[in-house]
Amino acid sequence: PSSGEAKITYGFQLAIEVEAFEDARNWPAFLGMYGIRFPWLVASAAPCFVPLRKYAKSIARRRARKDAQYGPLRSARQYCDEFRAALGTKAFFGGDGPSAVDVSFYGTIVPWSGIVPYADALVEASDLAAWWRRMQGAMPPAVVGDKRPKSA
């Protein structure tokens, strides 16, 4: 894969999973992804049955074996900030239209967006909201579902 694709595949995707699984505030949302609605207190006990933190540690450990090839795993926010810096004033990483890197980066976040607050917070904190809306408008309905902006 290209350098950008490798960072997304072996960096950003894994970082977002590790961080989302480690944060107990996301656990009720994970259960909700599967149609299970529980009060927060019950959902916070989910790791007794679904060891999310254990999964996060396993992902991080396996990824650490690739540090020589891809560098150490950074925080998801660092990958977002790097992507934002690379965008500069361009509408998309690819210029006037989305490139494979835009689609991959967006595709990493979109399954979590609107479900796990952490993902939406990353977009906002890294000043990617305008890019995010442009990607929503550029993606086919099968990818975006009902998350298309009203103006698109």
Side-chain angles (χ1 to χ4, degrees):
S2 73
S3 173
E5 288 289 329
K7 282 182 186 178
I8 295 167
T9 303
Y10 299 104
F12 182 51
Q13 288 179 0
L14 300 176
I16 200 169
E17 288 176 4
V18 167
E19 292 170 24
F21 290 164
E22 285 177 338
D23 190 342
R25 293 172 295 181
N26 295 318
W27 297 345
F30 289 132
L31 293 175
M33 290 171 78
Y34 298 101
I36 304 168
R37 300 279 186 233
F38 289 112
W40 188 90
L41 182 59
V42 175
S44 65
C48 296
F49 309 102
V50 181
L52 296 172
R53 284 194 175 130
K54 190 175 189 176
Y55 289 153
K57 287 182 173 126
S58 175
I59 292 167
R61 245 189 337 271
R62 283 181 287 153
R63 172 50 176 75
R65 294 181 202 144
K66 302 276 187 181
D67 281 359
Q69 186 174 359
Y70 301 110
L73 187 63
R74 297 180 288 157
S75 73
R77 172 69 190 271
Q78 288 173 310
Y79 289 106
C80 285
D81 289 345
E82 181 181 352
F83 183 79
R84 178 65 186 97
L87 276 177
T89 60
K90 299 181 292 189
F92 299 99
F93 189 86
D96 292 334
S99 67
V101 171
D102 288 293
V103 173
S104 293
F105 203 87
Y106 178 80
T108 298
I109 303 170
V110 78
W112 307 83
S113 176
I115 299 169
V116 179
Y118 167 77
D120 297 318
L122 272 174
V123 169
E124 290 297 324
S126 296
D127 191 29
L128 289 168
W131 169 84
W132 182 260
R133 286 188 298 277
R134 288 190 293 274
M135 287 300 296
Q136 284 178 315
M139 293 291 96
V143 174
V144 181
D146 62 355
K147 297 177 184 177
R148 275 178 125 21
K150 299 294 182 214
S151 61

